[in-house]
Amino acid sequence: MTSSGEPEKMYISYNNIHQLCQEIAPKIKAFQPDLIIAIGGGGFIPARMLRSFLKEPGHPNVRIMAIILSLYEDIGTIGDQIEQVGTQVVRTQWIDYNQSKIDLVGKNVLIIDEVDDTRTTLHYAVSELKKDVEQQAKSQGKNPNDTKFGVFVLHDKQKPKRADLPDEIMKTGNYFAARTVPDVWIAYPWESTDIVYHTKKALEQDNDVFLPSTTQED
Ligand code: 5GP
C-alpha cells in the first residue's frame, strides 16, 4: 500500500522487459515463429526486443506486423447503481493483407501483448486472426489447421479471465508468459513521464531480472 492507501503498482523497467524477452526466447524459438503480430501499443516494444533474441545468423529477422486494439468498457446502469456489463474490443488498425502480402496459411504466428489481464483482447485477436486464416485457406484450397498460433505476454495476471484462448494455444505449450503475477496494476516504462523515478521504483521493488551478460557487443 502507498501512504495514501492506494495499492502499490508494480513498476517494470526497460531492462526488466529486455531480460524477460531474453529469458523466454529459447522457448519461443522452439515454437519457430514465421511471423510476429504485435498488439499495440503495449506489445510493440516487447515484440521488437524479443525479435533480437530470435535472430539466427544467416536468416532474416522474423517480420513484425502491428495491429491496434482498444478495449472499451460498456457501462450499463441498474437503478442508480453503475455496473460493468461487458467489454468491447475496437479495431483501430488491422493487417492489410493485400499491401503486406502476408499469407497466414501454414505459418506459425506469434501474437504479442504486454499483459494478459482479463484476456478479452487476446481472445479477440486470436478469434479474428483465425477467421482471416479460414478465408485465406479457403481461397487457396488449403487447410486452415496448418496455421499454428502462439501467444507471448510479459505478464499474465492470476485472476478469473473474461474470455478463453483455444486449447491449441493453451494446451500445446504455445502460451508463453514471462511472469505470472498477482492482480495488481503494472506500470510499464513506456507509459512513464518520469523514467528516472520509474526505473528507481522498479529497482526498489526488485522487479529486475539481471541475467548475467554472456556476450561482448560492439
Ligand atoms: P485485457 O483485459 O484484454 O487482457 O487487457 C486489455 C489491455 O488493458 C492490455 O492490453 C493493457 O493495455 C491494459 N492493461 C490491463 N492491465 C494492465 C496493467 O496492469 N497495466 C497496464 N499498464 N495496462 C494494463
Side-chain angles (χ1 to χ4, degrees):
M1 289 282 172
T2 60
S3 53
S4 61
E6 294 284 312
E8 182 86 276
K9 293 182 210 167
M10 186 186 251
Y11 286 84
I12 304 295
S13 71
Y14 280 116
N15 275 1
N16 179 259
I17 294 166
H18 214 107
Q19 293 205 309
L20 289 176
C21 290
Q22 180 175 5
E23 194 188 79
I24 203 97
K27 288 186 189 159
I28 291 181
K29 269 189 185 177
F31 173 71
Q32 298 188 314
D34 299 302
L35 174 70
I36 288 173
I37 298 181
I39 304 179
F44 292 168
I45 292 174
R48 179 59 190 87
M49 286 175 171
L50 177 74
R51 188 171 78 169
S52 297
F53 297 108
L54 299 179
K55 178 87 173 87
E56 297 284 3
H59 290 268
N61 271 313
V62 183
R63 197 166 168 193
I64 301 176
M65 296 302 291
I67 59 175
I68 301 179
L69 302 175
S70 308
L71 189 61
Y72 288 95
E73 304 284 338
D74 287 331
I75 304 293
T77 52
I78 299 174
D80 56 1
Q81 293 231 308
I82 294 182
E83 79 162 32
Q84 215 171 276
V85 290
T87 53
Q88 197 197 348
V89 179
V90 173
R91 279 185 191 206
T92 308
Q93 181 179 301
W94 200 252
I95 299 170
D96 182 335
Y97 293 102
N98 289 329
Q99 194 210 32
S100 63
K101 305 271 180 287
I102 295 279
D103 178 8
L104 299 175
V105 183
K107 303 285 174 13
N108 294 345
V109 180
L110 184 70
I111 300 167
I112 302 186
D113 207 352
E114 85 278 46
V115 55
D116 179 349
D117 181 32
T118 63
R119 203 162 274 173
T120 312
T121 307
L122 284 166
H123 168 87
Y124 178 90
V126 171
S127 359
E128 293 297 297
L129 287 166
K130 279 172 82 73
K131 285 185 205 162
D132 295 348
V133 171
E134 298 263 337
Q135 234 178 25
Q136 289 187 338
K138 200 171 165 194
S139 70
Q140 298 170 33
K142 291 185 181 165
N143 186 351
N145 298 328
D146 290 344
T147 300
K148 291 196 180 19
F149 284 101
V151 165
F152 166 50
V153 289
L154 297 170
H155 300 104
D156 175 26
K157 289 195 201 172
Q158 271 181 319
K159 64 191 285 182
K161 304 292 185 182
R162 284 197 197 140
D164 294 329
L165 288 173
D167 286 354
E168 62 178 84
I169 294 175
M170 298 309 288
K171 296 213 171 138
T172 52
N174 292 338
Y175 177 86
F176 307 95
R179 289 288 180 276
T180 303
V181 293
D183 187 12
V184 294
W185 187 256
I186 305 168
Y188 290 101
W190 47 80
E191 297 159 350
S192 172
T193 52
D194 184 344
I195 196 62
V196 174
Y197 172 80
H198 183 103
T199 310
K200 194 170 142 262
K201 290 292 289 180
L203 279 168
E204 272 170 24
Q205 289 181 349
D206 209 12
N207 290 329
D208 275 357
V209 184
F210 293 121
L211 297 177
S213 176
T214 51
T215 52
Q216 294 285 316
E217 286 188 27
D218 297 331

